[in-house]
């Protein structure tokens, strides 16, 4: 702990509580949603709300009976597979763009990034017509393809700076020692870009997992994802708040678990390049 930081803490003693307070305020909506999922249906809309109550699993049981597990599995499969495919194709492309010394490198990188900036609604009709002709409507394969398509530019754009930071001299030395290019890429370059891969993977997974627009337009029942299933609990007869809270809590769980698993790589990956020297 530096001297300046100690002086700052002595001068502003209440500042040490600022971070916990802000963190609590940020987590309050999620904690409120979680407790709502365990609250009996008759007590959810009470005002003032009850802080102490007898927890129940009735809303989670109702989700199981209403077929929510199938939608949850659809989200898990499409998000995981599309993320893996985006990394398989995007990481080598980012490495090739990083090592490209010819003209047009900046223009190509910019054009790849621009494809990610276009609003998804602009691609709705072309994708819908193409998927209907190919028979991919309401299929996991269709969602995987569209998520992979939108995640590829993100993978290339995020991974290129990490490969730029890997010294080319290391690769040249390994090649001069007789190591094949495949070994150089997998055993020298890739381990040095692990933090970037982890950060990129979780952002791709988040995009696919939280997608609502394409899942609503391109699916009906067989490939319906969890976010769409949660919205179906809002109907003309009334909003089923207990099921909505339980479904929302389950939707948050995989992202939270995945983030905790790769948090060390995620922080280092997102802050890479912030400090130089």
């Amino acid at each position: 702990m530096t001297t300046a930081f100690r002086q700052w803490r002595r001068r502003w003693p209440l500042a040490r509580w600022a971070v916990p307070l802000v963190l609590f305020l940020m987590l309050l909506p999620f904690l409120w949603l979680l407790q709502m999922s365990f609250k009996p249906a008759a007590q959810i809309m009470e005002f003032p709300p009850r802080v102490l109550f007898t927890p129940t699993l009735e809303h989670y049981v109702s989700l199981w009976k209403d077929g929510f597990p199938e939608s949850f599995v659809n989200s898990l499969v499409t998000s995981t597979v599309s993320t893996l495919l985006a990394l398989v194709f995007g990481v080598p492309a980012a490495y090739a763009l990083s090592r490209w010394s010819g003209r047009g490198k900046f223009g190509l990188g910019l054009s790849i990034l621009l494809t990610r900036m276009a609003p998804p609604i602009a691609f709705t009709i072309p994708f819908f017509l193409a998927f209907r002709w190919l028979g991919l409507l309401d299929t996991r394969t269709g969602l995987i393809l569209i998520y992979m398509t939108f995640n590829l530019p993100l993978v290339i754009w995020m991974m290129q700076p990490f490969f730029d930071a890997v010294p080319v001299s290391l690769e040249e030395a390994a090649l001069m020692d007789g190591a094949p290019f495949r070994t150089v890429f997998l055993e020298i370059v890739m381990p040095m870009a692990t933090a970037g891969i982890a950060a990129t993977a979780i952002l791709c997974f988040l995009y696919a997992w939280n997608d609502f627009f394409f899942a609503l337009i391109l699916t009906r029942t067989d490939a319906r994802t969890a976010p769409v299933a949660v919205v179906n609990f809002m109907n003309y007869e009334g909003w089923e708040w207990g099921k909505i809270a339980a479904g929302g809590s389950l939707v948050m769980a995989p992202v939270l678990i995945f983030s905790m698993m790769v948090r060390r790589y995620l922080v280092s990956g997102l802050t890479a390049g912030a400090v130089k020297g």
Side-chain angles (χ1 to χ4, degrees), residues 36-57:
M36 191 191 304
S37 67
F38 292 103
K39 185 178 289 187
Q43 300 178 6
I44 291 180
M45 301 303 294
E46 285 185 346
F47 188 83
R50 297 190 185 184
V51 179
L52 300 178
F53 58 89
T54 303
T56 178
L57 295 177

Side-chain angles (χ1 to χ4, degrees), residues 12-78:
W12 303 97
L14 295 179
R16 69 181 65 184
W17 301 103
V19 173
L21 178 61
V22 172
L23 183 62
F24 173 76
L25 293 176
M26 292 177 61
L27 294 178
L28 184 60
F30 304 103
L31 297 175
W32 190 267
L33 182 71
L34 183 63
Q35 64 88 26
M36 191 191 304
S37 67
F38 292 103
K39 185 178 289 187
Q43 300 178 6
I44 291 180
M45 301 303 294
E46 285 185 346
F47 188 83
R50 297 190 185 184
V51 179
L52 300 178
F53 58 89
T54 303
T56 178
L57 295 177
E58 61 175 314
H59 305 306
Y60 291 94
V61 174
S62 299
L63 285 180
W64 185 271
K65 294 179 180 179
D66 289 343
F68 184 81
E70 288 78 4
S71 301
F72 188 88
V73 171
N74 287 336
S75 289
L76 193 61
V77 171
T78 55

Side-chain angles (χ1 to χ4, degrees), residues 248-272:
S249 300
L250 291 176
V251 168
M252 290 190 299
V255 176
L256 179 62
I257 295 173
F258 186 40
S259 302
M260 294 297 294
M261 290 173 57
V262 299
R263 65 186 184 279
R264 179 165 61 92
Y265 298 105
L266 179 63
V267 173
S268 58
L270 293 178
T271 58

Side-chain angles (χ1 to χ4, degrees), residues 20-250:
L21 178 61
V22 172
L23 183 62
F24 173 76
L25 293 176
M26 292 177 61
L27 294 178
L28 184 60
F30 304 103
L31 297 175
W32 190 267
L33 182 71
L34 183 63
Q35 64 88 26
M36 191 191 304
S37 67
F38 292 103
K39 185 178 289 187
Q43 300 178 6
I44 291 180
M45 301 303 294
E46 285 185 346
F47 188 83
R50 297 190 185 184
V51 179
L52 300 178
F53 58 89
T54 303
T56 178
L57 295 177
E58 61 175 314
H59 305 306
Y60 291 94
V61 174
S62 299
L63 285 180
W64 185 271
K65 294 179 180 179
D66 289 343
F68 184 81
E70 288 78 4
S71 301
F72 188 88
V73 171
N74 287 336
S75 289
L76 193 61
V77 171
T78 55
S79 301
T80 303
V81 176
S82 63
T83 299
L84 291 176
L85 289 177
L87 292 175
V88 167
F89 292 107
V91 170
Y95 175 77
L97 186 62
S98 174
R99 295 297 183 262
W100 187 13
S101 58
R103 298 178 58 183
K105 176 180 178 179
F106 176 79
L108 179 59
L110 181 61
S111 62
I112 293 174
L113 181 59
L114 288 176
T115 60
R116 189 64 178 81
M117 293 181 177
I121 195 172
F123 302 96
T124 305
I125 295 179
F127 271 114
F128 182 85
L129 296 177
F131 279 18
R132 185 177 64 176
W133 183 71
L134 295 172
L136 294 177
L137 287 177
D138 200 19
T139 62
R140 292 178 180 176
T141 304
L143 289 180
I144 290 172
L145 289 176
I146 199 168
Y147 294 156
M148 183 192 68
T149 301
F150 278 90
N151 279 332
L152 267 176
L154 178 64
V155 174
I156 298 174
W157 178 66
M158 285 196 63
M159 287 303 303
Q160 183 184 346
F162 290 96
F163 290 131
D164 290 340
V166 177
V168 181
S169 58
L170 293 178
E171 303 173 44
E172 295 175 346
L175 292 173
M176 292 180 63
D177 289 340
F181 176 76
R182 179 180 178 182
T183 302
V184 173
F185 180 72
L186 294 178
E187 298 185 10
I188 297 179
V189 178
M190 290 293 287
M192 300 182 68
T194 303
I197 294 175
T200 304
I202 192 171
L203 291 179
C204 293
F205 184 85
L206 282 172
Y207 169 79
W209 182 265
N210 293 328
D211 173 69
F212 175 79
F213 182 76
F214 285 116
L216 178 66
I217 300 298
L218 302 178
T219 66
R220 293 295 180 269
T221 56
D222 294 339
R224 184 176 57 187
T225 59
V228 178
V230 171
V231 173
N232 286 338
F233 297 132
M234 307 175 186
N235 45 53
Y236 291 107
E237 290 78 14
W239 289 21
E240 302 176 83
W241 288 110
K243 292 182 181 179
I244 294 173
S249 300
L250 291 176

